[in-house]
Amino acid sequence: MQVEVYFDVLCPWCYIGKRRLATALKGRNDVNVVWRSFELDPYGSPIPGLTAAQVIATYQNDPARASARVAHIQALGAAEELELNLHQARPVNSFDAHRLIHLAATCGLADAVLEHLLHGYHTMGRNIADPDVLQALGVEAGLDRAQVGELLTGDAFTAEVRADERRATQRGIRGVPALVIDGAPPVSAVQEPAVLTSLLERATRF
């Protein structure tokens, strides 16, 4: 079975969804997870600006509602043993981070690299548009330093990122995390593990 997950490193829901999917997949060895690129802000700057919490506040007219939204996301993260520091993480351009994960996929390290990127950004507040940060996180996850350096000074895997994004558009995906099981219509990947388990079992039967 192939499970495709459309994601962006910048999205706290994707971090939560990754944890929930891992729970749903426990004990299974018949599932191939493929991480698909989806940029929430393709025109984002590589220079950090507002924090994630401040960005959320710009979409809410009521400061109390914005604060409650941030607290809700953090509480859901905490339930998955994730520390989501929305007052520290600052959204930036995630294109090179997506290219790095495509490189990692060629080495069987996509999940590990994504985990390091998500933790680095959401928990540590690191700038995942900074080549030095990307190289450090990639190497920490097991990638070869020279390979990562070559990637970040060139344009490798640009076509693969764009192909994922075109595929997302064709599938009608407008937000992440989105789950595609064996080519079926996309569903939310941030659902409770029991629901994700049910979706996987249903796909197995058919």
Side-chain angles (χ1 to χ4, degrees):
M1 178 189 301
Q2 177 166 280
V3 172
E4 300 167 83
V5 188
Y6 289 82
F7 75 97
D8 194 354
V9 177
L10 303 180
C11 174
W13 297 106
C14 289
Y15 205 0
I16 294 168
K18 185 175 185 295
R19 278 292 185 276
R20 291 181 173 180
L21 179 61
T23 298
L25 290 174
K26 276 183 181 176
R28 300 192 64 141
N29 55 13
D30 61 336
V31 177
N32 176 39
V33 177
V34 179
W35 298 100
R36 298 289 190 195
S37 303
F38 186 104
E39 294 174 273
L40 289 172
D41 184 7
Y43 304 104
S45 170
I47 301 171
L50 298 176
T51 66
Q54 289 171 328
V55 171
I56 289 173
T58 64
Y59 294 109
Q60 302 280 351
N61 295 324
D62 183 351
R65 286 182 61 191
S67 179
R69 178 71 169 170
V70 169
H72 176 63
I73 294 171
Q74 290 178 317
L76 290 177
E80 303 297 332
E81 300 184 351
L82 301 175
E83 184 180 347
L84 302 178
N85 292 320
L86 277 71
H87 294 90
Q88 185 176 348
R90 296 176 183 272
V92 287
N93 190 285
S94 61
F95 183 70
D96 282 343
H98 283 291
R99 292 200 300 126
L100 183 65
I101 293 166
H102 274 279
L103 169 65
T106 67
C107 310
L109 291 171
D111 188 271
V113 171
L114 176 55
E115 187 68 29
H116 276 70
L117 288 171
L118 288 167
H119 182 264
Y121 175 74
H122 291 285
T123 301
M124 306 302 294
R126 302 184 74 176
N127 176 7
I128 53 94
D130 184 328
D132 290 337
V133 171
L134 288 175
Q135 183 165 61
L137 293 173
V139 171
E140 286 172 16
L143 291 177
D144 177 76
R145 181 177 296 277
Q147 273 192 306
V148 176
E150 185 177 351
L151 170 86
L152 296 172
T153 55
D155 62 356
F157 297 103
T158 292
E160 286 81 354
V161 174
R162 297 306 183 210
D164 280 353
E165 294 175 334
R166 285 195 300 273
R167 193 178 290 109
T169 298
Q170 292 165 359
R171 285 174 162 165
I173 295 171
R174 298 170 182 253
V176 290
L179 195 70
V180 175
I181 303 174
D182 274 346
V187 296
S188 171
V190 80
Q191 299 181 77
E192 292 290 340
V195 176
L196 296 176
T197 298
S198 177
L199 290 170
L200 292 168
E201 289 177 348
R202 190 180 311 158
T204 301
R205 290 196 297 271
F206 291 99

